[in-house]
Amino acid sequence: MIEQVRGALDAALTRVVAAATLDELRAVDAVVLGKKGELARLKTILGSLPVEERKAFGLAINEAVGALQAASTERALELDSAEVSSRIAAERLDLTEVIARPTRGHAHLVTQAWERLEDVFIGLGFQVAEGPEVETDFYNFEALNMPRSHPARSGFDTLFTDYRQLEADSSDHTAADGHEPSVLLRTHTSPVQIRVMQSIEPPIYMVMPGRVFRRDTPDATHMPVFHQIEGLVIDRNITMAHLAGTIDSFTKAFFGGDFTSRLRPNYFPFTEPSAEFDIQRPDGTWIELGGCGMVHPNVLRACGLDPDEWSGFAFGFGIDRMARERHGIDDIRDMYSNDIRFIEQF
Ligand code: FA5
């Protein structure tokens, strides 16, 4: 009989030790120490035993139950501490992570190009000026030799802020009373040339970066809001050769010594003669960058400068397009998508 008790105890101990979680242990306890367990069954036959065997058998069962309870308590402690440890590991919050790997942002691609352009021109002896984004018709067109009804105005698809825009015919932006509204979002940085010539005595060697606006539909090379940098030189005896030399020095400083530039005849009302300037990549292909030319005598006069005494050149090109070229970006719209995966590459 004592053998049966020992066998029941061994089997129960094996199950207690094998319990892998506290829940599992509780279930094992309910079976091996419960009323339907083997030890409880053996206890029921106690009364039917001869008196001389009853004592030793009863003692063996009590000892087995005690040993089983002790083993279960010990196993419960083990499992409890293992579960606490794994919960602590799972809930661990490593505050040093933030300090060890701080994420730093950086200037946007266009801001980087803008700042680098300023640096290059400052290196060539230029100063930097800025003007307002909301302009009057006078600065954006009229003083730039584009009087009202000048056909070149239609080349700048203008956003007017004047209330008369409400009455304007959307096809030619002319108000019902026959006049164009006179307050607008500047369509180029050229009006800053006028403001500079009005406020500074020549000689002038100035670049004017800024944001400009046009009613252009966004596509791979156009944005309705984009950036230009304007250049203006006014001095005595300035010629087209100075213009070409400046463009070439800038090209090499900005893109690298293996890039060259060329001028192609073009037309702008505010310069005469006018040119488009292109730069050539080392692989021989050409990129169109912007416009330039000798400042038109009418523009000098509008700013109170005598064209017989002063001459100069101006240029203007798109900063966004340049950043796009420099980094080989297919679509200019990607630069404004605010997709961090794209922006953080540059
Ligand atoms: C002008 O805006 C003249 N003011 C440039 C100039 C200045 C000529 C001084 C002579 C003397 P244009 O409209 O071509 O010119 O624009 C100049 C450059 O701006 C273009 O070559 C292009 O690089 C950029 N650009 C024009 N429209 C857009 C647009 N919608 N999105 C992005 N870039 C543009």
Side-chain angles (χ1 to χ4, degrees):
M1 293 301 287
I2 299 287
E3 295 308 306
Q4 279 189 33
V5 174
R6 224 171 262 147
L9 177 60
D10 286 348
L13 285 174
T14 308
R15 292 184 66 180
V16 164
V17 171
T21 64
L22 283 170
D23 283 346
E24 238 180 273
L25 181 64
R26 259 176 240 120
V28 170
D29 278 353
V31 174
V32 298
L33 291 166
K35 282 184 190 148
K36 291 183 181 159
E38 183 60 7
L39 290 172
R41 192 190 64 79
L42 290 170
K43 212 171 180 176
T44 58
I45 56 175
L46 195 64
S48 60
L49 292 176
V51 179
E52 59 279 13
E53 287 179 29
R54 214 181 279 171
K55 194 176 171 203
F57 188 68
L59 203 64
I61 288 179
N62 284 346
E63 277 175 6
V65 169
L68 200 52
Q69 279 170 340
S72 173
T73 306
E74 196 183 328
R75 184 71 188 137
L77 285 172
E78 276 171 23
L79 291 173
D80 190 43
S81 83
E83 280 183 16
V84 167
S85 309
S86 70
R87 199 167 58 236
I88 288 173
E91 292 173 0
R92 182 169 152 266
L93 195 61
D94 185 358
L95 295 175
T96 59
E97 231 169 14
V98 177
I99 299 160
R101 286 193 283 118
T103 47
R104 275 187 72 189
H106 60 71
H108 186 269
L109 184 54
V110 171
T111 311
Q112 287 177 37
W114 174 321
E115 287 174 352
R116 209 162 152 260
L117 283 164
E118 284 186 3
D119 286 350
V120 166
F121 279 111
I122 287 169
L124 293 173
F126 284 74
Q127 289 179 298
V128 179
E130 286 185 32
E133 292 176 351
V134 178
E135 267 296 7
T136 61
D137 182 276
F138 174 79
Y139 285 102
N140 198 77
F141 291 123
E142 196 121 15
L144 286 161
N145 201 29
M146 282 182 278
R148 287 181 194 275
S149 81
H150 192 289
R153 284 188 178 216
S154 59
F156 298 99
D157 240 331
T158 311
L159 286 150
F160 295 97
T161 66
D162 199 279
Y163 73 97
R164 277 179 294 178
Q165 173 61 16
L166 296 172
E167 307 164 28
D169 175 327
S170 63
S171 62
D172 65 7
H173 320 315
T174 304
D177 62 5
H179 294 290
E180 273 181 350
S182 57
V183 182
L184 46 88
L185 297 183
R186 65 179 179 193
T187 55
H188 51 171
T189 41
S190 299
V192 194
Q193 282 185 39
I194 306 299
R195 292 185 176 274
V196 165
M197 282 188 272
Q198 282 181 338
S199 56
I200 298 173
E201 294 277 313
I204 296 169
Y205 291 80
M206 201 75 93
V207 284
M208 296 143 265
R211 189 158 55 155
V212 301
F213 310 83
R214 288 186 197 177
R215 285 170 30 147
D216 281 344
T217 306
D219 63 23
T221 54
H222 292 83
M223 286 298 288
V225 179
F226 60 103
H227 303 81
Q228 288 186 339
I229 187 163
E230 191 84 8
L232 177 70
V233 167
I234 304 287
D235 207 336
R236 292 188 170 88
N237 306 315
I238 295 291
T239 69
M240 199 82 180
H242 295 116
L243 168 60
T246 303
I247 298 279
D248 206 56
S249 302
F250 155 74
T251 301
K252 290 185 165 39
F254 189 84
F255 290 96
D258 41 1
F259 278 72
T260 52
S261 64
R262 74 176 174 197
L263 302 185
R264 275 183 297 117
N266 196 6
Y267 171 76
F268 293 102
F270 30 94
T271 45
E272 179 59 36
S274 301
E276 197 77 25
F277 69 89
D278 307 328
I279 60 164
Q280 191 179 35
R281 299 189 184 94
D283 68 5
T285 54
W286 290 94
I287 314 159
E288 193 180 298
L289 224 55
C292 61
M294 302 307 290
V295 179
H296 197 288
N298 287 350
V299 175
L300 294 171
R301 275 188 216 104
C303 300
L305 296 175
D306 178 358
D308 291 328
E309 184 181 1
W310 302 105
S311 57
F313 63 78
F315 56 82
F317 51 84
I319 298 179
D320 317 64
R321 292 245 185 113
M322 246 173 78
R324 175 175 170 267
E325 279 306 329
R326 203 162 161 252
H327 297 288
I329 295 165
D330 290 334
D331 195 319
I332 207 165
R333 289 168 294 190
D334 288 339
M335 289 161 42
Y336 295 99
S337 63
N338 282 343
D339 183 337
I340 198 77
R341 291 164 303 179
F342 175 81
I343 285 172
E344 69 186 359
Q345 294 176 68
F346 306 98

